[in-house]
Amino acid sequence: MTKFLSCTNMTGGYGGEDIIHSCDIEVDKSQIVVIVGPNGAGKSTAMKAMLGMISLKEGNLILDGSDISKLSPQDRVAAGIAFVPQTMNVFSELTVEENLEMGAFLRDDNIQETIGEIYNLFPAMKDKRNQLAGELSGGQRQQVAVSRALMTRPKVLMLDEPTAGVSPIVMKEIFERIITIKNSGVAIVIVEQNAKQALNIADFGYVLVGGENKFSGEGQELLKNQEVRKSFLGG
Amino acid sequence: MNDELRAPIAFTVMGILLAIVGFTQSWSVSLSIINLCIISSIMAIGVNLQWGYGGLFNAGVMGFTALGGLTAVLVSHDPIYEAWDKAGVGIIISTIIFILSITALLFVFRNIENKQIRNTLIILIIFFGLIGINNFYGPSINIIESIDPAKTGFLGGLGLPIIFSWLIAAVVAGLVAWVIGKITLRLRSDYLAIATLGISEIVIAVVKHEDWLSRGVKNVSGLDRPVPYEIELQESQWFLNLIESINFSKLEAINSLTSRQDVLNDLVISSSGIFVKLCYAGLFFSVLLLIFYLSQLALNSPWGRMLRAIRDNEEAASAMGKNIFLQHLQIFIIGSAIIGIAGAMLTTLDGQFTPGSYRPLRFTFIIWLMVIIGGSGNNLGSIFGGFFIWFIWIEAEPLSIGFVNMLAGGLEYDNPLRIHLLGSAAHLRLFIMGLLLLLALRFMPKGVIPEKIQKK
Amino acid sequence: MENFEFINAIVLLANFVLVPALSYGSQLALATLSLTIVYGVLRFSNFAQADWMSFGTMAAILFAWLFQSIGITAGIFPTALLALPFAIIVTALFCLLIDRSVYSFYRKQKSQPIVLMIVSVGVMFILQAIVRFIIGPNDRKFFDGEKYIIHALDFKNYFGLEEGLTIKSTQLITVIVALIAMISLFYFLQKTKLGKSMRAYSNNEDLALLSGINPEKIVIVTWIISSILITTAGVLYGLDKSFKPFTYFNLLLPMFAAAIVGGIGSPIGAVIGGYVIAFSEITLTYAYKKFFVYLMPEHLEPSGLMQVLSTDYKFAISFIILVIVLIVRPTGIVRGKII
């Protein structure tokens, strides 16, 4: 039985040498999958491949039973994959509310309900809704970024290092929100540097090394794995 | 095509084109085109240094050309002593006040921290500066411009040989470039383009309207030449002998002594024009060679390599501690100085300074075309571009008219559409220029003679 | 009597400074808006923009002639206003054609802005050739309809003043049309989904793509809006003064200056910049002698023209302001794009 989003045997790069080799990443609904690994291991590349931002030489990408490997990034957004980039992930010159509206650009139905849900999830944003996103603090901006992605009501949410450069308190908060989002039925894929904390909330984890799957398993399992601990988690 | 062969082939084709003009129209026309081609090439090298090597977009080529032209006038024209006697002091005083005001403004701007005091001081300086200048300047220029306005009406120049102006033009253009560069080179690249576009308009406005300085649109004509006059040649024995010996066999064939003398006279008159043009060509070509040689030398030096490194990767160069601003400023000044030289040469060739003739299309954007089509980053390419585009610019007009004639051939002679089309045909050369630029950018972005990839 | 002197002075200023500057400023503001919108969305300084203005105005003149020849006029309004929508359509279509055949290639290549700027120089050449080929390089007046709203003579007689106030109908039309155009534009940008997506695209292209915004659609809308603004500006300018391709080309510098002074890429900045440049050009080149003659007691009357700069230097003023802004506040009055 394949998972909700199943990306297998992905091989490719940015046109030059291949960066990922036969890489597999799968995620199910209401599940958090975390991709960890050393710098340059191809974590972000793998995620970009899943989004269609690089063209793969090989690979099977199945979303909810249908093949998406030929779709453009925009079409994958329409198909239900949302992405939060690591940097430049908000429209800094637009207000918070306009950011949300832009997130829902492809939707033609009433989006007020979704906006309401998001304000419930991130209450701070309701107060700031008429402020320019560029004027917010780092943590709040991250919330806007995640919210913008959620506006499409995605089935899969991908986050590239959502906690990079934020304080531990904010990090904790962001992870809590991600769990809430997961519980609403969304499949979540996270690329993370803060491996320990991320694996803590992960249902499943992949350790990439040199563009290949090195280890994979449930989050807690990986955390306990001596080899993984020694190599990537600092003992 | 083999890259090594591109330059020889390009220049051979160019030579053939000029020869065709020589045979079909006349050698005099061909030489006139060549002289302007050489000047264009020098301008193109100036722009190429800035754009091809420095990555700087200078949209003010026209301004530097006009500065060069003005310098030619100010260096070579005889001083108008009467004007200096009557109003020289006033002009000097207002110039001093102007310089003092600018210095004071700069000083206040740099050294006074308190905003209120600073702004008050700035307003005071501008106010009193203007009053002071107006007090001396207005009456003085009225006097100057009233002295024999049909002939002079300006201060005149230094009365030196015009060839000196070529060097001085470089200094003048370089100084102006230094000021502009100081202001704009720290900012994003488009700002330099817009600021230079502006400064060139100002330069033109000044030379057009400050009659006491440049006679404005009344033009200054009859400038001294660095080469002999036709009439002098026709009267010199050595020239007569020269022409006679060149055409010896042709003259020998004529039996009648009087008709032989007539033919010789005709030959002397037509040859004297060609001889003068050849003299100019020789002078200009030496300058072109010298500038080309020096540019190549500079660009293959460590300084030139650093410049290219900055152009190719500004961030990396900056991270390596290179002073990008200074490098840009240097190349901007050098390029503008070269354009200034070409401007002075152009006025020398024309023998007159006509401020009304400076149009941005002809003096800025055509030069750009030369650099891009010739090959950005390659001085040889710029020289070719200068020749090729100038040739097209000159020959496009008759060609367009011929083309339109062909199109309108079926129409009645007095058909209004035919008349309109023929009247407008000359504008088609703008179209040809635009099309050439767009086609080159699309299909040959590196130009006819591309930049050589430097070995690391 | 003192009082009349004062009123005369005010009327004088209104007639020679305020009214002309307001109408020129409105024309410039519209033109600058189009420049700044192209800059903001397509990310390059468009050197051809002034020649688009020529092209649009030429189209309007041709349509106006067509209408007049078949007997359609707009009564007291100039026929060119009737022709404006048609001229806009032609300009926009041609703009899109040029975009398809020229600019889109470089967009796909993700070329540097400076390359696009050079490409726009090529487009500039071609537009100049087309305009000169079709309508010629000469000065053309194409105004018809009622010329004055208030005539100086009537004004003088009515109020018994020495100074008269002239308001040409083109000046009023300019201000009203410009106001309508600006309000619609700002409504479009701030309140509609398409307008917001344009701002979003201008702000963060990659994220706009990730949100499903179609860049090609944004580009098309941008050129259409630019055509509307630039054609309107050109027609208003030509009605007010006259149409001459070279004069229009020379508006490029004030347009750039206004855009940078206001804050490049910012629509509000473009409007402010347009008026700042226009008012500066006119207030600095106006000879205030008569104004002071009214206000000052006789023995203090000025002897000179009381003119800061000769009118020969109108263009220089936009440049001088530009330089001052570049030195003092490079981001412009309204904080524009990063520099």
Side-chain angles (χ1 to χ4, degrees), chain B residues 57 188 190-191 193-195 198 202 206 209-210 359-361 365 372 420-421 424 427 431 434 437 441-442, chain C residues 39 45 101 105-106 117-118 121-122 124-125 128-129 132-134 246 249 253 256 312-313 319 326 338-339:
Chain B
F57 191 108
R188 194 187 41 205
D190 327 22
Y191 282 9
I194 293 158
I202 291 193
V206 169
H209 301 298
E210 297 302 307
R359 296 277 172 107
L361 225 46
F365 295 113
I372 287 166
H420 171 84
L421 283 179
S424 307
H427 303 299
F431 193 86
L437 178 59
L441 283 168
R442 178 77 157 259
Chain C
Y39 182 89
S45 306
S101 54
F105 173 79
Y106 301 94
M117 188 162 119
I118 296 173
V121 170
M124 177 187 93
F125 268 105
Q128 292 200 346
R132 281 165 171 77
F133 189 78
I134 295 179
F246 188 65
F249 170 69
L253 184 64
F256 271 131
D312 300 333
Y313 293 103
F319 177 75
L326 286 185
I338 15 75
I339 48 158

Side-chain angles (χ1 to χ4, degrees), chain B residues 100-133:
Chain B
L100 281 181
S101 311
I102 297 285
T103 325
L105 277 180
L106 282 179
F107 179 82
V108 168
F109 205 81
R110 290 222 177 113
N111 295 308
I112 310 264
E113 296 287 327
N114 185 321
K115 264 199 173 171
Q116 237 171 350
I117 300 176
R118 188 167 74 182
N119 291 343
T120 326
L121 279 176
I122 287 175
I123 290 169
L124 283 179
I125 293 170
I126 292 178
F127 184 73
F128 284 106
L130 278 177
I131 286 184
I133 290 174

Side-chain angles (χ1 to χ4, degrees), chain C residues 84-320:
Chain C
L84 181 59
F86 299 93
I88 288 173
I89 292 171
V90 170
T91 311
L93 285 177
F94 194 51
C95 233
L96 291 174
L97 180 75
I98 295 273
D99 181 74
R100 275 300 97 128
S101 54
V102 180
Y103 291 120
S104 72
F105 173 79
Y106 301 94
R107 238 185 351 261
K108 276 184 203 113
Q109 302 250 306
K110 297 203 179 295
S111 297
Q112 296 270 321
I114 197 114
V115 173
L116 279 156
M117 188 162 119
I118 296 173
V119 171
S120 78
V121 170
V123 174
M124 177 187 93
F125 268 105
I126 287 187
L127 287 177
Q128 292 200 346
I130 292 175
V131 170
R132 281 165 171 77
F133 189 78
I134 295 179
I135 205 169
N138 303 325
D139 219 346
R140 277 182 202 279
K141 293 206 184 296
F142 57 99
F143 176 81
D144 57 352
E146 189 64 43
K147 191 152 191 189
Y148 294 104
I149 290 175
I150 302 174
H151 196 278
L153 254 162
D154 301 337
F155 186 88
K156 274 196 238 180
N157 294 338
Y158 189 81
F159 289 101
L161 289 169
E162 267 175 62
E163 285 303 325
L165 180 67
T166 304
I167 298 182
K168 287 194 282 181
S169 53
T170 52
Q171 291 168 327
L172 189 71
I173 291 172
T174 292
V175 174
I176 292 172
V177 172
L179 217 59
I180 294 172
M182 286 178 215
I183 291 173
S184 333
L185 177 69
F186 284 109
Y187 179 84
F188 170 78
L189 287 177
Q190 296 298 329
K191 299 290 175 203
T192 66
K193 191 172 168 185
L194 193 57
K196 286 177 192 175
S197 69
M198 236 170 98
R199 282 165 53 221
Y201 180 83
S202 159
N203 178 213
N204 189 335
E205 192 179 333
D206 291 335
L207 199 61
L209 295 180
L210 282 174
S211 305
I213 294 172
N214 181 355
E216 285 309 305
K217 194 170 160 192
I218 299 285
V219 169
I220 290 173
V221 174
T222 304
W223 284 120
I224 291 175
I225 291 177
S226 161
S227 305
I228 294 174
L229 292 167
I230 204 73
T231 307
T232 310
V235 168
L236 292 175
Y237 186 90
L239 282 174
D240 198 8
K241 298 176 177 85
S242 65
F243 169 71
K244 186 181 180 192
F246 188 65
T247 315
Y248 274 49
F249 170 69
N250 271 337
L251 285 174
L252 188 62
L253 184 64
M255 272 158 67
F256 271 131
I260 294 178
V261 167
I264 196 155
S266 149
I268 294 179
V271 173
I272 296 174
Y275 284 108
V276 166
I277 296 288
F279 269 87
S280 314
E281 275 190 16
I282 291 175
T283 51
L284 292 179
T285 52
Y286 179 65
Y288 290 94
K289 178 173 180 177
K290 219 173 167 191
F291 176 73
F292 285 107
V293 169
Y294 278 122
L295 287 187
M296 300 277 197
E298 215 150 296
H299 60 279
L300 276 179
E301 279 171 11
S303 58
L305 281 172
M306 298 299 288
Q307 190 179 20
V308 181
L309 266 175
S310 139
T311 33
D312 300 333
Y313 293 103
K314 263 200 173 150
F315 280 111
I317 290 169
S318 43
F319 177 75
I320 292 166

Side-chain angles (χ1 to χ4, degrees), chain B residues 182-324:
Chain B
K182 272 274 189 189
I183 299 171
T184 50
L185 281 177
R186 283 186 201 281
L187 303 167
R188 194 187 41 205
S189 52
D190 327 22
Y191 282 9
L192 178 71
I194 293 158
T196 44
L197 186 73
I199 196 78
S200 67
E201 290 293 344
I202 291 193
V203 170
I204 300 305
V206 169
V207 293
K208 253 190 191 165
H209 301 298
E210 297 302 307
D211 288 13
W212 60 273
L213 183 70
S214 64
R215 288 198 86 218
V217 286
K218 286 182 291 184
N219 302 343
V220 181
S221 51
L223 293 173
D224 273 338
R225 277 186 180 179
V227 299
Y229 285 84
E230 286 86 348
I231 195 85
E232 284 169 18
L233 285 173
Q234 289 158 22
E235 284 162 5
S236 342
Q237 193 56 48
W238 66 266
F239 188 69
L240 294 178
N241 293 341
L242 179 73
I243 299 305
E244 200 170 359
S245 65
I246 291 176
N247 297 293
F248 185 74
S249 55
K250 196 172 166 188
L251 289 168
E252 195 78 327
I254 304 169
N255 289 326
S256 146
L257 204 65
T258 47
S259 60
R260 187 190 287 188
Q261 192 58 40
D262 285 346
V263 171
L264 180 61
N265 282 346
D266 284 349
L267 277 172
V268 165
I269 290 173
S270 63
S271 308
S272 64
I274 291 186
F275 185 82
V276 168
K277 282 176 182 164
L278 274 175
C279 288
Y280 273 123
L283 267 179
F284 292 168
F285 197 67
S286 334
V287 176
L288 175 63
L289 276 186
L290 186 70
I291 288 178
F292 175 69
Y293 174 73
L294 291 178
S295 309
Q296 291 298 96
L297 210 63
L299 292 167
N300 292 323
S301 68
W303 179 82
R305 280 198 289 279
M306 183 147 95
L307 205 62
R308 281 193 296 275
I310 290 175
R311 178 198 61 189
D312 293 340
N313 193 341
E314 207 161 290
E315 272 165 45
S318 164
M320 278 153 66
K322 309 279 187 216
N323 188 341
I324 292 175

